[in-house]
Amino acid sequence: MAVKTAIANHHKIHTAKRRKLLNKLLLFLPQKSKTMDFPAGLKYTKDHEWIKVEGNDAYIGITEFAQRELGDIVYIDITSLGKEVAKDEVFGTVEAVKTVSDLFMPVAGTITEVNAALDKQPELVNTDPYGDGWMVKATLKNAADLDSLLSAESYKALIGV
């Protein structure tokens, strides 16, 4: 009985030491943030696109929530450069390791620029969805389209954050 007790005590001590060591190591590993960013100055769609308006121009991309759901982005295909695209019409696709998803235009407008950086670095959509990961620049056709879009707070409520 004394041997069993000694072995059990040794196991408890050894396990406790391993746990302490593991917890110390975990402090130094990079942690993926569980919180998501939803900049207040942007508008959002129910399809998980965002739009940033500057005068009559707008930058459009997908939200941090969308890129997390998609996973690692490997390719962006936008064939609407120079074309007028209606509100809620598909303007391109985003391909991730897991799936391909359509991109929907949040407002009516003409696509005037495609983010060329995404050709060589599509992962910018994952690492900086509201900055360097923007997808297209468009000239607005009807600024009133913005009124039907969601605020950051409304978008957060939509996705349950």
Side-chain angles (χ1 to χ4, degrees):
M1 189 73 154
V3 173
K4 283 186 176 179
T5 303
I7 291 172
N9 286 340
H10 175 75
H11 180 68
K12 286 180 186 175
I13 291 168
H14 185 67
T15 301
K17 285 182 180 178
R18 281 194 329 210
R19 239 184 239 131
K20 282 183 183 178
L21 180 60
L22 181 60
N23 286 336
K24 285 181 182 179
L25 289 173
L26 288 174
L27 291 174
F28 296 101
L29 292 176
Q31 300 291 317
K32 189 170 184 176
S33 173
K34 290 186 183 353
T35 60
M36 287 185 269
D37 188 27
F38 303 99
L42 306 179
K43 293 284 195 170
Y44 301 86
T45 72
K46 292 177 182 176
D47 295 312
H48 312 291
E49 283 85 18
W50 59 263
I51 183 169
K52 175 183 171 186
V53 178
E54 293 180 352
N56 200 35
D57 292 324
Y59 291 89
I60 299 163
I62 63 170
T63 65
E64 185 170 355
F65 175 79
Q67 68 81 19
R68 284 190 183 190
E69 290 294 306
L70 288 167
D72 293 335
I73 307 294
V74 295
Y75 185 67
I76 311 294
D77 184 25
I78 298 174
T79 57
S80 51
L81 182 61
K83 296 179 183 173
E84 189 171 305
V85 182
K87 182 180 184 334
D88 297 325
E89 186 178 323
V90 173
F91 69 87
T93 58
V94 58
E95 183 177 335
V97 173
K98 299 190 273 187
T99 188
V100 175
S101 184
D102 287 333
L103 298 166
F104 297 95
M105 192 71 165
V107 295
T110 302
I111 305 292
T112 57
E113 186 177 343
V114 174
N115 186 351
L118 299 180
D119 286 341
K120 292 185 180 175
Q121 293 181 287
E123 67 275 7
L124 288 172
V125 175
N126 293 112
T127 59
D128 192 11
Y130 303 114
D132 291 337
W134 64 273
M135 295 180 174
V136 297
K137 181 179 177 183
T139 301
L140 298 176
K141 182 177 180 181
N142 183 4
D145 285 347
L146 296 167
D147 296 338
S148 64
L149 300 178
L150 303 170
S151 67
E153 289 304 313
S154 296
Y155 181 71
K156 285 166 52 175
L158 173 76
I159 61 171
V161 176

